[in-house]
Every structure is written in C-alpha cells, then in structure tokens.
Amino acid sequence: MEQNRKEERRRIKPADFVYLGAVVLMLVIALRYETKKTTDYELSLGDEVTFGTYLDEPIRWRVLKIHEDRFGRASKAVLVSSEILTMKAFDGAPSGLYGYDDEGVLWRINDEKTIQNPAMQEYTHGTNDWSRSDIRTWLNSNQENVLYEGNGPVKKAMAEESNGYAVEAGFLCGFTDEEQEAIIPTHNITKGNMLSEDDVETDDLVYLLSEDELEWFYDANISIYAPPTKQAVEQDRTHSYQTFSLNYGIDAYVWRLREPVDGYSSLSYSVNNGYSDKRLIQCVAAVECYGIRPAVTVDVKKFSDIMEEQLQAQQK
C-alpha cells in the first residue's frame, strides 16, 4: 500500500501539464519581447536618428562610432549632430571686452606682444582650453540659468559683440529626463594649451570632437562637412554663413573642434567648409561666427527604448 501511495505521488496530473505549458508560454513571450527591444533598433554606423531638441526643433544625429561589450554586443554609441546647430564662441574673453585688457590697452591676436604673452592673449581673446571653456559649460548644462566662471559668454566679450549666450538656457534643456538618462558621460583627454602643463581630462555629457576623432567619420562613411540648420542661420547675428559659404556656392560651413593650436592660448581648430584643400583652420576662441556640432555618447539599450517609443507615437 505504501508503494502505491509513492507511485500516485509521482504520477503527473493533467493539470500539471497546463501549468507547465503556461509557464513556458510566458517565458517565450518575455524572451520575444526582450529580443524585439534589442534587435528592432540595432544601430549601424552612419544611421540617422532624432534625439533631443534645440531652438524648438528636433535634433538629427548620425551614428559615428559604436562600442561593443565583451560579448560583442553594441553597448554604447557616439552620435554627432547631422548639421551645425548654432554659431557660438568657444570662450568669451575673460576681460569682458574682446581684445582689451583692464587698462583699456588693445592686444591684437597676431601682434608679437600678444603671441609672447599667453596669459594676456587668453585674457583678451578667450581660452582654447576645453576644460575651462564657456562652450563646454553651456553644452553640459541642463539649467535655464547657466553658471559660468567670470563674465561668461557676454556679447562684449565677443569679437563682433554678437551671439552672446550668457543668458541662453543650457543645451541639455532641450532633452527630456529620459533622454538625458540615456547619455553616458564620456571621459575625454584633450591637449592642453600653453598655460596647461599636461593634457586636460574631462567627463562630458556633451562635447566637441578632437582632430583624431575625425577619423571616425571615414570609418562610418559620414562626410566631415556639414551645413547649419535654418534655425542656426536665423539665430546668428554675424551673418557669416552667407559671406564665407553661400557666396562661394557651397552649403557646408566651418564647425569647431575642442583641439587647441600649439603655441597659442586662444586659437583652436575648426573643420573647414571644403572650399580649399585645408581640412582644418585656426579660429580665435572669442570669435562668435563659427559653428557648433555637438557629440554625445548614449547607452544603446536606453536609446533603443526611446526610439521604440518614438515609433509607437508615430504609428498612433
């Protein structure tokens, strides 16, 4: 009798099959859901995506580089804006008045006395040190009132007293909380300027590219040349795009890198507009007519979730 009870306990009842089937079905559905979330929006180099806004318009980005985890899966991706989003100075002159010191003495950028005095060069023409620049502060802020060191990028600190952005809300104000959470801080190592003993290291949510990182464009088959958005042209008070690009019959425009020029404390490199064979040109930090083409690094999983939400919203 005892043996019969043991055999009865071992016997699987029909209800057990129903329960096990339900469990398997739930696991399959969950697996398909997770797979769908990671494969529907698998990013490829060169893809164009929409992420965040600036000047009340969605920002279009290109996938510039993809980093993989130890299993060979895409874990994070570098995006660069498809177009120049705004024209801004790299840094306003700390003196508060472009080219002049506190005594009212004019320091011209190409004068020998200015070249030989890097501290005064920086003070009257803005710094080319990425870590201390106004543009870095603005790009990485999600506050309506951006806090700058010193005078900040006020109009009088610019070469043409135009395009001051001291009162403009931080760049990240155009991103939702979910979008900001998808951005991964990037540890950047950038060449220091004449006043820096070593390279400068920063952790940036938004950044400008370096000269070495331009090689990523060729790997991704993306043109290094870019035009400004319509909003960027309308916002620019120097009207330099017409003068330096459209009048020459080209659409691309100059955009800034975070790379300093050796031997100067106020000159940094920018990507040229393609008119000449010079890929890079040198630009004064406090000259406000050159373009800003930001880059961000995003968590692929979180970014894919945002893309899925965008698609669902479009289908409604």
Side-chain angles (χ1 to χ4, degrees), residues 27-53:
L27 289 174
V28 169
I29 293 173
L31 180 61
R32 286 181 178 176
Y33 176 72
E34 288 300 321
T35 303
K36 176 179 182 298
K37 288 173 68 177
T38 56
T39 58
D40 279 1
Y41 297 96
E42 184 176 351
L43 295 178
S44 299
L45 289 177
D47 284 355
E48 184 172 273
V49 294
T50 301
F51 183 60
T53 64

Side-chain angles (χ1 to χ4, degrees), residues 283-311:
C283 302
V284 181
V287 172
E288 66 271 48
C289 65
Y290 300 117
I292 302 299
R293 193 179 181 188
V296 296
T297 304
V298 296
D299 179 290
V300 168
K301 177 62 170 61
K302 293 180 179 179
F303 186 78
S304 296
D305 290 344
I306 293 172
M307 294 299 100
E308 183 179 356
E309 291 174 4
Q310 286 185 6
L311 180 60

Side-chain angles (χ1 to χ4, degrees), residues 96-122:
L97 185 60
Y98 179 84
Y100 289 88
D101 63 18
D102 296 339
E103 305 300 322
V105 176
L106 176 62
W107 296 73
R108 299 183 188 278
I109 189 66
N110 292 321
D111 286 352
E112 193 65 27
K113 71 169 186 177
T114 308
I115 294 174
Q116 294 181 355
N117 191 335
M120 189 57 70
Q121 180 189 142
E122 181 180 282

Side-chain angles (χ1 to χ4, degrees), residues 3-118:
Q3 181 67 26
N4 290 339
R5 289 199 186 108
K6 289 182 179 179
E7 290 179 358
E8 187 175 341
R9 283 199 296 268
R10 292 195 194 104
R11 191 178 300 123
I12 299 176
K13 300 177 182 178
D16 295 331
F17 285 105
V18 175
Y19 174 76
L20 291 172
V23 171
V24 171
L25 180 61
M26 291 174 63
L27 289 174
V28 169
I29 293 173
L31 180 61
R32 286 181 178 176
Y33 176 72
E34 288 300 321
T35 303
K36 176 179 182 298
K37 288 173 68 177
T38 56
T39 58
D40 279 1
Y41 297 96
E42 184 176 351
L43 295 178
S44 299
L45 289 177
D47 284 355
E48 184 172 273
V49 294
T50 301
F51 183 60
T53 64
Y54 181 61
L55 299 177
D56 298 322
E57 291 293 328
I59 302 172
R60 294 187 301 155
W61 306 80
R62 299 293 296 276
V63 180
L64 186 61
K65 188 175 180 62
I66 295 176
H67 298 275
E68 296 180 343
D69 60 20
R70 61 193 181 94
F71 300 107
R73 297 174 301 198
S75 59
K76 56 185 180 179
V78 177
L79 312 179
V80 64
S81 64
S82 299
E83 300 160 293
I84 293 165
L85 300 184
T86 183
M87 280 70 149
K88 283 180 168 50
F90 191 85
D91 188 66
S95 66
L97 185 60
Y98 179 84
Y100 289 88
D101 63 18
D102 296 339
E103 305 300 322
V105 176
L106 176 62
W107 296 73
R108 299 183 188 278
I109 189 66
N110 292 321
D111 286 352
E112 193 65 27
K113 71 169 186 177
T114 308
I115 294 174
Q116 294 181 355
N117 191 335

Side-chain angles (χ1 to χ4, degrees), residues 243-262:
T243 303
F244 296 112
S245 284
L246 296 184
N247 286 352
Y248 289 93
I250 52 180
D251 294 327
Y253 190 56
V254 178
W255 54 278
R256 289 186 176 275
L257 301 176
R258 67 176 193 273
E259 194 93 14
V261 175
D262 290 340

Side-chain angles (χ1 to χ4, degrees), residues 171-185:
F171 177 69
L172 287 173
C173 283
F175 292 71
T176 65
D177 291 342
E178 184 181 18
E179 288 170 336
Q180 291 183 48
E181 289 175 1
I183 299 175
I184 301 172

Side-chain angles (χ1 to χ4, degrees), residues 156-198:
K156 282 190 172 294
M158 310 297 171
E160 299 182 44
E161 297 188 6
S162 302
N163 297 354
Y165 53 101
V167 298
E168 184 177 347
F171 177 69
L172 287 173
C173 283
F175 292 71
T176 65
D177 291 342
E178 184 181 18
E179 288 170 336
Q180 291 183 48
E181 289 175 1
I183 299 175
I184 301 172
T186 299
H187 186 73
N188 285 315
I189 300 176
T190 309
K191 293 179 182 178
N193 69 3
M194 288 189 69
L195 301 176
S196 306
E197 295 182 0
D198 302 301

